[in-house]
Amino acid sequence: MRRIALIAALSAAMLTGGVINGWASSAAPVSAHGNDHRATITQRTCQQLSDASIPAKEIGLPTTGAKVTKSTWVVDGRIGQCQVIGDILPVDPEAPPIEFEVNLPANWNHRAVQMGGGGYDGSLVTGLDPYALQPAGQKTPLQQGFVTLGSDGGHKGSGGFDSTFGLNDEALANYGTESIKKTHDVAMSLMKRTFRSTPKYFYFVGFSQGGHEAINAAGLYPKDYDGVVAGTPSYNVAMMHAGIGSVYRDALYSDSGAGWLNTVKTQLLVNAVYTACDPLDGLKDGVISNVKVCQQTFDITTLRCPNGADTGDTCLSDAQLKAVTEIASPHNIGFPIEGNAVAAGAPILYGGTYTVFTLGSVNQPSNPASGKEAFQYSVLNAIATNIVTRDPGYDTRSFNLNEWAGRIQEVGKQLDSTSVDLSAFAKRGGKMILTTGLADDGISPENTIQFYDRQASTFGTKLGSFLKFYTMPGFSHGFGPYNATYDALPALMNWVEKHKAPTRLQTIDANAGEDGRTRPLCEYPSWPKYTGHNPDKASSFTCVTH
C-alpha cells in the first residue's frame, strides 16, 4: 500500500492455561547454510543468462513463455550474485507482461524466498531488500544465500491504487492469483539451468497484498511452497474495497456529509480512545493491548456535543457519533463474496490512529475523485471504476452494491481468497505464520480475524499444527505507536525444517526514540499484559486471555 514502510516485527508464544511465560530474546534461527552441498554461480554463467528464454511449457499457467532482458553480476562484500530481470509474456497481446527479478547468489543455501507486493502491485519487487517486517540491521535473505524473487504483479501502475490494469482480463487474473505462480516457475527454471538443482525449501513472505499472495501461494499452489508468512493479508480485495469502502462512504458522506469528521475531530476521537484504553493492559505507554475490554468499556457518547448539534471541533454531533459507530461495526452487505457476506468493522474505537489512512479533508467526494476523500473511499473508487464497472469515468458516489452484486461476486472469484482451501498445504507439511496489527485502520484486524475464524471452523484443533496467528498491539500498516518488527523467516524455517513450532518469540519496536523496546508476540486471542518492572523488555509482559 501507498506510504507503507514494510518494517515490523513478529514473535510467537506458547499458550498454557491462558498465560504464556518464559520469553526468550528471539527465535533460534535455522542456519542459512546448514550442511548443504553448495551449488554456485559465476560471473560468466550470469552473463550467459542475458538473453535466456523460458518456454511456455516450463510455466504452469498459460503464457507465451518468458525472456531475460538483463542479467547483472554484482559483488556484495565478497559474495557474487546474479541479478536477473525479465518479462513473462502474456497470451493476450493487449495484456502487459509480468516483469520479474530472480537473484541467484554464489553462496546459495538451497533455499528460495519469494517476496510479495503491496496495494495494487504495479512496481517490481526486486527481492534485494529485507523481507517484510524484518528487524533492522540483519542481513537480507539474498546476503544470507537465499535465491530471492519477486514481480510487479503483472502490470505497471502510477502509484497508490492505480486500478487501470483491471480493464484487461489477463492483467486482472495475474494480479489476483496467477503472477506468483508464473514468477515461481520462471525462478525454478533459472535455478535448474544455473545450479542444475532445485531448492530444498521454497518460502513466501509478504505483507498486505503480499500477505494475500502468501495465502494464495499456500492455498492455490501448495506443491510449490513449504512455508509462508502472511502479514495483514488483503485476502479479500473485493469485499474490502467494495464492501467496506461503501460502508465508509455511506457513513461519512450521507446527508451532505453530516457524519464526516475533519482531522481535528478525528484526533479528538483517537485521543479519547487512547486516554481511556491505554492503561487497560497494565501500562500507559501509548499502546492499546487489551482491545476486548476497550471495546466493551469505551463510551463514545462522552464526546457528544450539547443537544447533539455540531458546535465545533471539541465534540462530536449525533450524526458523527452514528458515522463512527457504523464504521466500527460489521455489516452484512446483502450477498456473499467467496462465501462471506459480512464486511468487517474498523478499529476506530480501540486503536486506529487515522493519521495515514485518514477520513480525508473534504466532506463530500467529487467525480472524478480528487484524492482529498477518505482513504477507504479512494479504494472504493479504484475498484468501482476500472474493475467492477470497467468504466473509468464511472461516478462512484452512486455506486450501488446490490446493483452490481453479480459482477462483484465475479471479481471476488478472481481477487479474493476468502474460501481458499488450505488442506493440501497442511497435508504436505506446509506451515503458515499469520499476523495482523491491532491499530491498523487500512486493513482492519477484524478482517484478518474473520479469515482465521474461518480456518478454525474448518480445521478445529488441527489448525495449530500448521497455522499460527498472532496479533500486534499498537501496530498499524508498517507504522504505528508500536512499529513491530520480528524474526519471521527464522521462525518459519525452524518450523518447516526442524519441526519446531514458533514459541516465545518477540517483536522489536522500530520507532525512533524507543531504543528497540520489545514485546512478546502473543498468539490470538491472548494479548501482552504488563506484569514486570521494565516497560521496555518483553520479559516484563505476560500473554493472557483475560
Side-chain angles (χ1 to χ4, degrees):
M1 284 190 176
R2 189 178 184 182
R3 299 166 66 184
I4 294 174
L6 292 181
I7 50 174
L10 181 52
S11 317
M14 180 175 291
L15 182 63
T16 307
V19 179
I20 305 173
N21 297 298
W23 294 98
S25 60
S26 64
V30 174
S31 169
H33 304 282
N35 295 316
D36 295 324
H37 173 70
R38 284 180 172 261
T40 191
I41 184 173
T42 65
Q43 183 174 2
R44 180 181 179 183
T45 310
C46 182
Q47 291 171 340
Q48 291 172 345
L49 292 174
S50 62
D51 59 352
S53 61
I54 294 96
K57 66 181 181 180
E58 293 187 24
I59 303 171
L61 292 173
T63 70
T64 52
K67 63 179 182 180
V68 173
T69 59
K70 182 180 181 181
S71 63
T72 306
W73 181 255
V74 176
V75 177
D76 184 356
R78 296 183 178 180
I79 305 299
Q81 54 193 231
C82 186
Q83 299 173 6
V84 181
I85 297 175
D87 292 326
I88 302 171
L89 306 176
V91 174
D92 176 5
E94 299 299 318
I98 302 169
E99 186 180 25
F100 68 85
E101 180 161 344
V102 178
N103 304 300
L104 306 163
N107 61 330
W108 188 38
N109 62 15
H110 289 267
R111 298 176 179 88
V113 59
Q114 188 169 352
M115 298 183 185
Y120 274 163
D121 288 339
S123 61
L124 178 62
V125 176
T126 65
L128 300 174
D129 299 321
Y131 60 81
L133 315 188
Q134 183 175 358
Q138 297 182 354
K139 289 183 177 181
T140 66
L142 180 58
Q143 290 170 332
Q144 294 177 48
F146 289 82
V147 166
T148 63
L149 56 141
S151 80
D152 63 0
H155 62 274
K156 295 302 179 187
S158 60
F161 285 87
D162 179 356
S163 59
T164 52
F165 71 91
L167 298 170
N168 181 275
D169 286 340
E170 188 169 350
L172 188 64
N174 281 333
Y175 168 74
T177 60
E178 295 187 2
S179 64
I180 59 169
K181 167 63 174 172
K182 294 173 182 178
T183 304
H184 167 279
D185 290 358
V186 166
M188 290 289 283
S189 177
L190 290 172
M191 283 185 277
K192 290 176 184 177
R193 295 185 186 196
T194 304
F195 299 126
R196 301 293 188 266
S197 178
T198 58
K200 186 175 182 180
Y201 300 103
F202 209 119
Y203 298 105
F204 196 108
V205 180
F207 180 86
S208 191
Q209 168 61 12
H212 176 196
E213 292 164 354
I215 289 174
N216 282 339
L220 301 181
Y221 313 112
K223 295 181 180 179
D224 292 335
Y225 299 93
D226 299 289
V228 305
V229 177
T232 311
S234 57
Y235 68 91
N236 53 347
V237 174
M239 174 58 82
M240 287 197 309
H241 293 186
I244 296 176
S246 292
V247 170
Y248 270 81
R249 180 199 60 185
D250 296 345
L252 295 175
Y253 300 134
S254 296
D255 299 325
S256 300
W260 178 72
L261 280 69
N262 64 26
T263 301
V264 177
K265 283 177 176 280
T266 301
Q267 287 311 303
L268 173 72
L269 172 62
V270 170
N271 292 340
V273 171
Y274 273 80
T275 297
C277 297
D278 183 1
L280 296 177
D281 52 23
L283 178 67
K284 191 173 182 179
D285 59 349
V287 176
I288 297 174
S289 298
N290 192 355
V291 298
K292 183 177 181 180
V293 172
C294 182
Q295 289 173 293
Q296 294 170 345
T297 60
F298 177 71
D299 183 5
I300 192 176
T301 63
T302 59
L303 299 176
R304 184 174 185 262
C305 295
N307 301 318
D310 190 348
T311 57
D313 291 342
T314 60
C315 59
L316 302 183
S317 68
D318 283 348
Q320 290 161 345
L321 294 175
K322 179 181 178 183
V324 171
T325 302
E326 288 291 301
I327 290 170
S329 304
H331 289 268
N332 190 313
I333 65 170
F335 58 91
I337 305 175
E338 283 281 280
N340 173 50
V342 179
I348 195 167
L349 293 178
Y350 68 77
T353 61
Y354 289 87
T355 55
V356 174
F357 305 117
T358 72
L359 301 183
S361 59
V362 292
N363 69 350
Q364 285 291 285
S366 58
N367 185 51
S370 66
K372 298 179 180 179
E373 295 86 359
F375 168 80
Q376 298 292 353
Y377 181 87
S378 297
V379 295
L380 169 64
N381 183 67
I383 199 169
T385 52
N386 295 313
I387 296 177
V388 175
T389 68
R390 283 186 159 170
D391 177 1
Y394 184 84
D395 189 346
T396 303
R397 295 174 297 183
S398 60
F399 182 67
N400 184 286
L401 286 174
N402 289 324
E403 179 183 347
W404 290 96
R407 173 58 181 164
I408 293 170
Q409 288 175 318
E410 181 182 344
V411 169
K413 292 179 181 178
Q414 296 175 293
L415 301 188
D416 291 14
S417 302
T418 306
S419 61
V420 68
D421 184 0
L422 297 177
S423 58
F425 181 70
K427 186 175 182 180
R428 69 176 296 269
K431 307 299 181 186
M432 177 184 293
I433 293 175
L434 175 69
T435 67
T436 195
L438 292 178
D440 196 331
D441 37 46
I443 297 179
S444 172
E446 302 297 328
N447 194 65
T448 310
I449 290 169
Q450 280 186 344
F451 176 83
Y452 176 78
D453 285 346
R454 189 180 184 100
Q455 303 309 315
S457 177
T458 299
F459 292 98
T461 57
K462 296 180 180 179
L463 181 61
S465 66
F466 75 93
L467 188 154
K468 299 290 186 184
F469 175 37
Y470 305 96
T471 56
M472 299 173 171
F475 181 59
S476 182
H477 213 80
F479 58 92
Y482 186 96
N483 195 5
T485 60
Y486 75 103
D487 288 326
L489 188 54
L492 184 64
M493 291 168 63
N494 274 327
W495 199 5
V496 169
E497 300 177 24
K498 291 189 173 183
H499 310 292
K500 294 181 178 180
T503 59
R504 296 187 295 276
L505 301 179
Q506 64 183 39
T507 59
I508 305 170
D509 189 355
N511 281 325
E514 295 298 346
D515 298 321
R517 62 178 174 170
T518 59
R519 296 283 187 276
L521 188 66
C522 298
E523 190 171 353
Y524 178 81
S526 61
W527 52 273
K529 182 177 181 179
Y530 184 58
T531 55
H533 304 287
N534 187 338
D536 294 329
K537 299 296 183 183
S539 57
S540 292
F541 295 81
T542 304
C543 289
V544 300
T545 56
H546 56 274

